[in-house]
Amino acid sequence: MKNIKFIDLYAGLGGFHQALEKLGHKCVWASEYNLNLRNLYIKNFPNTPIEGDIFKVDLNKIPKHDLICGGFPCQPFSRAGKMLGFEDLKKGNHFFKILEIIDSKKNHAPQYIILENVETILKHNKGETFRFIENELTKRGYEIDKKILSPHEFNIPHHRRRVFIVGARKDMGGLENFNYPEKRDLSKTTIDTILSPDHIPYPEENLKLKPESQDVFNLWNSFIKSFPDDKPLPSFPIWSHEWGATYPYENYTPQAASIEELNEVRGLYGKKIKGNNKEDIIKEFIPRYSQKDPELFPNWKVKYIKKNREFYRENKDFIDQFILENPKLKNFAFSFQKLEWSCQGAERTLDDKIIQFRPSGLRVKLSNWSPALTTVRTQNIYIPKIKRKLSLFELAKLQSMDIKHLPDIYDGKFVPNGGYRAFGNAVNVELVRLIAKNLLNN
């Protein structure tokens, strides 16, 4: 494989740069809109010229290159965004800029392309968005392939499904003999590979659980450990608010019920409903997720309410005693009165699992791999075995990054300034390296 020159678009923390540099290739130009990330990029890659807003760049000044790579903004195509696609006037037109860069090089258009985005781009607008992307690149002489891959499939403990789009000029051989890297044995993937007993996080990262969160963890850990061994733990989300509740949910909602009907049933935690004003009754006695539907609940909500009430009836003696001994459950933040146990068949303890404090509840999963990093720092996972959340250093390892200068570190101290978001937006270095190795050896 000859050494090639590449440009790094939407560079962020330099994931593509690191991956290709490991293969011996040279980055001749980069672009990154965010000023903090741009300055960090300069510190980590001082020999690479980098520009800011790509829409203000003179395309003729971009050096000739053999490969163009980048994870163009995904928000227009992500479930976490508004799904506006190319109609997103701020971020949906970046693919057109990539096309302009290719066109600006005329007969010297790059031989290779590697792009990354959220998997939903494939189904956006009933598939029309990706068909447009594929057609535009094909019209420019590229043979295109795509595949959804996640780092965890390659023994990197990070579940992050993304679509990788590769292309090669047909007049230079196309994608003949190219294959995406082969997936590995999932049983060998473990979060332990990014944890180090010698690692000391920056004090300012504040990775220990706050008292309330620690109480939530301890209470649900006690629930799981003490739950009868001969009874199965549910695979559906546990909504403790339904324990003892009898308010209507199958044929109509509390909003559609009369005051007289509501005074004959029980609300959250089996509390007897009493009142003359429906608005006050619903606010005081009905769980938040059941308060607003005017006539009927969606099928998924009916299913979860039904399953939780059945679970309560089947385990009434244990649950009633547990609530009696743990009254603080009812005082937790609403979402933390819910539990998602995704560890069927595993030892009944939270001590060796991965914990997420989510708006949907406390989620417990096996310690094989981390859920996808988000751009929100509060969603950082908690690892009971090290008694804290992941540090910046460990987040970098989740993305297979080995950079000298981490984001959010100023004068040896941690100052939150978008670093967690940057890791959440980053591409996984090792996964890109594996794809690029196969492509460039093609």
Side-chain angles (χ1 to χ4, degrees):
M1 173 171 53
K2 68 174 184 177
N3 293 339
I4 67 166
K5 297 177 180 179
F6 66 94
I7 62 171
D8 187 9
L9 305 182
Y10 318 105
L13 293 172
F16 280 100
H17 189 134
Q18 294 170 67
L20 289 159
E21 194 171 66
K22 286 176 181 287
L23 295 172
H25 306 304
K26 182 179 181 181
C27 185
V28 295
W29 189 85
S31 72
E32 169 53 48
Y33 182 84
N34 183 283
L35 178 60
N36 290 330
L37 293 179
R38 197 159 67 244
N39 289 334
L40 185 66
Y41 195 96
I42 292 170
K43 292 171 69 175
N44 282 316
F45 312 106
N47 297 321
T48 300
I50 183 169
E51 300 284 348
D53 188 349
I54 198 168
F55 290 95
K56 297 179 180 179
V57 169
D58 182 348
L59 302 187
N60 294 317
K61 292 184 179 180
I62 297 177
K64 291 180 182 179
H65 48 278
D66 308 294
L67 165 66
I68 185 170
C69 59
F72 59 103
C74 64
Q75 290 89 339
F77 313 103
S78 171
R79 292 189 185 95
K82 297 182 179 179
M83 297 288 284
L84 295 177
F86 293 137
E87 294 180 10
D88 188 320
L89 299 181
K90 289 185 177 180
K91 295 180 177 178
N93 53 0
H94 283 273
F95 176 70
F96 296 101
K97 182 55 64 174
I98 294 173
L99 296 179
E100 286 182 35
I101 294 173
I102 293 172
D103 292 342
S104 72
K105 301 309 169 189
K106 300 178 181 177
N107 295 331
H108 298 286
Q111 181 177 355
Y112 301 106
I113 298 170
I114 306 178
L115 302 176
E116 179 253 19
N117 213 291
V118 291
E119 60 178 317
T120 46
I121 197 173
L122 299 179
K123 296 181 179 179
H124 183 266
N125 193 22
K126 299 180 180 179
E128 286 299 317
T129 296
F130 186 77
R131 278 191 285 274
F132 176 83
I133 289 173
E134 193 170 33
N135 289 339
E136 288 299 314
L137 292 173
T138 300
K139 283 195 304 187
R140 286 162 174 79
Y142 290 95
E143 183 179 356
I144 300 299
D145 200 358
K146 67 183 184 301
K147 191 165 187 175
I148 296 171
L149 297 171
S150 171
H152 83 282
E153 297 168 327
F154 299 88
N155 300 145
I156 304 158
H158 186 194
H159 189 287
R160 188 176 191 271
R161 286 166 56 85
R162 293 293 185 270
V163 62
F164 289 88
I165 306 164
V166 300
R169 280 173 49 176
K170 295 176 184 177
D171 62 346
M172 301 179 78
L175 291 175
E176 186 178 358
N177 300 322
F178 168 76
N179 292 295
Y180 282 94
E182 291 187 10
K183 298 176 183 180
R184 299 173 184 172
D185 182 355
L186 285 181
S187 67
K188 296 182 179 179
T189 305
T190 169
I191 195 72
D192 291 342
T193 57
I194 69 152
L195 304 178
S196 171
D198 301 325
H199 170 58
I200 301 175
Y202 292 91
E204 299 84 7
E205 290 188 77
N206 294 322
L207 301 175
K208 300 288 186 180
L209 289 184
K210 294 180 179 179
E212 183 192 5
S213 297
Q214 187 66 59
D215 286 344
V216 171
F217 173 86
N218 292 341
L219 184 143
W220 284 115
N221 199 13
S222 174
F223 179 86
I224 293 295
K225 286 181 176 181
S226 60
F227 194 80
D229 292 336
D230 60 339
K231 297 287 189 71
L233 284 167
S235 56
F236 53 85
I238 295 175
W239 295 355
S240 66
H241 315 88
E242 294 302 323
W243 294 345
T246 61
Y247 66 84
Y249 73 96
E250 290 185 289
N251 299 317
Y252 52 92
T253 69
Q255 283 283 8
S258 67
I259 293 176
E260 291 74 18
E261 286 177 293
L262 291 175
N263 274 287
E264 294 297 318
V265 296
R266 296 182 180 274
L268 45 80
Y269 294 109
K271 191 174 181 180
K272 184 72 175 69
I273 294 177
K274 294 181 181 179
N276 300 314
N277 181 286
K278 183 186 284 189
E279 183 178 343
D280 292 340
I281 288 174
I282 288 177
K283 184 177 180 181
E284 181 178 353
F285 295 98
I286 303 301
R288 191 181 303 167
Y289 49 75
S290 295
Q291 290 181 357
K292 294 184 179 180
D293 300 82
E295 296 180 1
L296 294 172
F297 288 129
N299 290 335
W300 67 266
K301 192 178 290 186
V302 171
K303 181 179 72 172
Y304 284 157
I305 293 174
K306 183 176 182 179
K307 284 181 175 292
N308 272 280
R309 292 190 183 182
E310 289 173 349
F311 175 69
Y312 172 72
R313 286 194 296 270
E314 293 166 1
N315 301 280
K316 185 177 184 304
D317 291 344
F318 168 78
I319 291 175
D320 286 348
Q321 184 63 32
F322 184 83
I323 293 176
L324 186 64
E325 295 174 356
N326 296 274
K328 65 172 59 178
L329 170 63
K330 299 178 183 179
N331 298 322
F332 287 160
F334 186 83
S335 62
F336 296 153
Q337 297 175 44
K338 297 191 283 185
L339 175 72
E340 298 178 41
W341 172 260
S342 304
C343 308
Q344 296 305 311
E347 184 180 356
R348 293 184 175 185
T349 177
L350 273 58
D351 296 331
D352 60 353
K353 306 297 190 295
I354 290 174
I355 313 297
Q356 276 185 298
F357 291 82
R358 296 166 52 88
S360 60
L362 188 75
R363 176 177 289 181
V364 185
K365 70 172 298 297
L366 298 174
S367 61
N368 44 15
W369 51 73
S370 166
L373 286 179
T374 69
T375 58
V376 183
R377 186 166 178 255
T378 55
Q379 292 300 302
N380 191 0
I381 61 174
Y382 174 68
I383 311 293
K385 68 176 69 175
I386 59 174
K387 294 182 171 56
R388 60 171 174 78
K389 298 181 180 181
L390 295 182
S391 68
L392 276 180
F393 175 76
E394 289 155 342
L395 296 179
K397 293 179 76 173
L398 269 189
Q399 292 288 38
S400 305
M401 291 190 170
D402 183 16
I403 47 179
K404 182 178 180 180
H405 302 283
L406 293 171
D408 290 356
I409 304 302
Y410 301 93
D411 298 323
K413 292 185 178 181
F414 171 81
V415 180
N417 194 21
Y420 192 91
R421 179 189 235 351
F423 280 120
N425 283 328
V427 69
N428 187 275
V429 172
E430 178 60 11
L431 187 46
V432 171
R433 188 192 73 82
L434 292 171
I435 295 169
K437 181 180 178 181
N438 286 10
L439 177 65
L440 303 179
N441 273 337
N442 180 34

